[in-house]
Amino acid sequence: MNPGSMSSRTEVDQAHIRALVTSGKRKQLLFAIAGLTCTMIALLTLLAAFLQLLIDGLPRLSWDFLTNFPSRHATQAGILSAWVGSAMVMVVTMLAAVPVGVGAAVYLEEYAPRNWLTDLIEINVTNLAGVPSIVYGLLALGLFVYQFGFGESVLSAGLTLALLILPIIIVSTREALRTIPGNIREGAYAMGATRWQMVSNHLLPYSTGGILTGVILGMAEAIGQTAPIICIGALTFIAFLPDSPFGGSPPFINFSWLFSEFTVLPIQMYNWVSRPDKAFQLNAAAAGVILLAMTLLMNGLAIYIRYTVRKKIKW
Amino acid sequence: MSQSNSLAVSSGHLAPGTALRRAPFRHLKEKLIEFVLLGAALVAVFTTIAITVVLVYESLGFFEFVSLWDFLTGTVWTPLFAEPNYGVLPLISGTLTVTAIALAVAVPMGTTIAIYLSEFAPHSVREVVKPLLELIQAVPTIVFGYFALLFVTPLLQDTIMPGLAGFNMLAAGLVIGIATVPTIASLSEDAMRAVPMSVREGAYALGAHKLGVAWKIVMPSAISGVIAAYVLAAARAIGETMIVAIAAGQNAVFTFNPTEGAATLTAFIAQVSLGDLPHGSVGYRSIFACGLVLLVMTLVLNVIGHVLRRRYREAY
């Protein structure tokens, strides 16, 4: 081999490598553009959905819209029974889901021995998160409405949504408990605390932020749920309110509202959107704006709490 | 005996452990609390059992009237007509068509976004995009249903498909696809970020370029998590109710043509539940049979996902 052919060989190799690098960089750039495009498409679709809802719905929003019952005349119809119903269902959901969800999380994180029962519970919590929401509705229809005899009531709806959001609360509570360092637990035991004293005086107060985040996210999920509530037979046209929970005479609190018929915001919206009349579809958009605003507000609150808690606590 | 007794009495409240003796039920209380907490955890197990029992029990009642064979092979679904037909295939074809469209949108888009966010995007972009994508997941699906019926369908009719029906599976599937993009993007990205940096660095040291590392190194390593994301997205698409109920129509038609409107399993359940069918009638029980089919479909999907994950799992 003479030196001349050697150098030309290297030049060929170098040219080849340069071509490879150039094509690699080009592919890289093309892919980055593709990634950005996909992201923009997803976000622009979201933006389009929001804008369309706002443009259609905002003109219909007024005080009367919030304080009127549904009506045959689109312009007089309102969402009073719907938002009152939603609020009542949410109260039941929260009262049922929070103690059970937090209790289950505390058990799994702090008490559970490593055995088949714990494994079974873990598998179920994971799998339940993947069950379609309408299946929860069928469960509630068979179990709460007919078997337990709760009827097509606020109570049935609240319990159904509670089961639905249970995995969300359990997962976020467990995450919050897991971030508390072990020496906090050991410290409490060293001072003679029992396990429950350790949990109730230390772990739960320290994980309030994380639990709250999970609860709010769960409630935001629950308030937009339509399918399971349709299943248990919520009505679409309700021109009355359930009894007030606070009576004028002793004992001042009554529970008949739990068994009252009801409707909720997303169902009112579904009812209006499925009518061919354009005026009712605008009503649906207005109800959608309120629903969306509440969901986004709750999600924002959850993000805010998560952020402030993360900044405040330093172990 | 008496001596030890008097000793305890004389030492009074100074004796260690007296406080414990004053709370004789302390141990019992602890046990009780543990049982209550166990009960809370068992709610998850009972929910699964209850779902299975309710669906199977009511479906058994349904199959007393309708043979399983007719149900699974019939192509006409008219349970509410005077002369009812109970062939579930039209509902299954609707469900599969919508799910296929949704996945055709969500899988490529979601995977691309995941790779982009995990391997290409600067930190600042990721910090903005991830929460925004999660926002899509938070939007109530009924809002997306409104969007599909009154924005996407008219848009398609005005631009590329003038003959599109007012209710059609295409618009519903496309919107479900967009709605499930964040599921795939977010979960896949988590899986890709869990791949150790040293693996990437090894590839770079051998002269690989960024896309090669992302596609040939990171993607195969993260495939287990990515498949889990696909399975969850498919399950979401199958179980999605409100978008199809609003935008895809209520007629059970045996077709795989996305430009037509057709009811899905979920849309049918919602439609029947809105009417007032008497408790215990065949029509009432038919929705539980549909629910059972839905549950079996999600179950099969999960098993497939589990097997695939096992086969392609990479552990570090």
Side-chain angles (χ1 to χ4, degrees), chain A residues 184-198:
Chain A
I184 299 282
R185 295 174 179 81
E186 283 155 16
Y189 284 138
M191 301 306 288
T194 62
R195 199 189 294 223
W196 175 244
Q197 285 169 337
M198 184 270 291

Side-chain angles (χ1 to χ4, degrees), chain B residues 209-220:
Chain B
H209 56 82
K210 234 178 181 178
L211 187 61
V213 172
W215 190 248
K216 292 185 183 146
I217 307 289
V218 175
M219 185 73 180

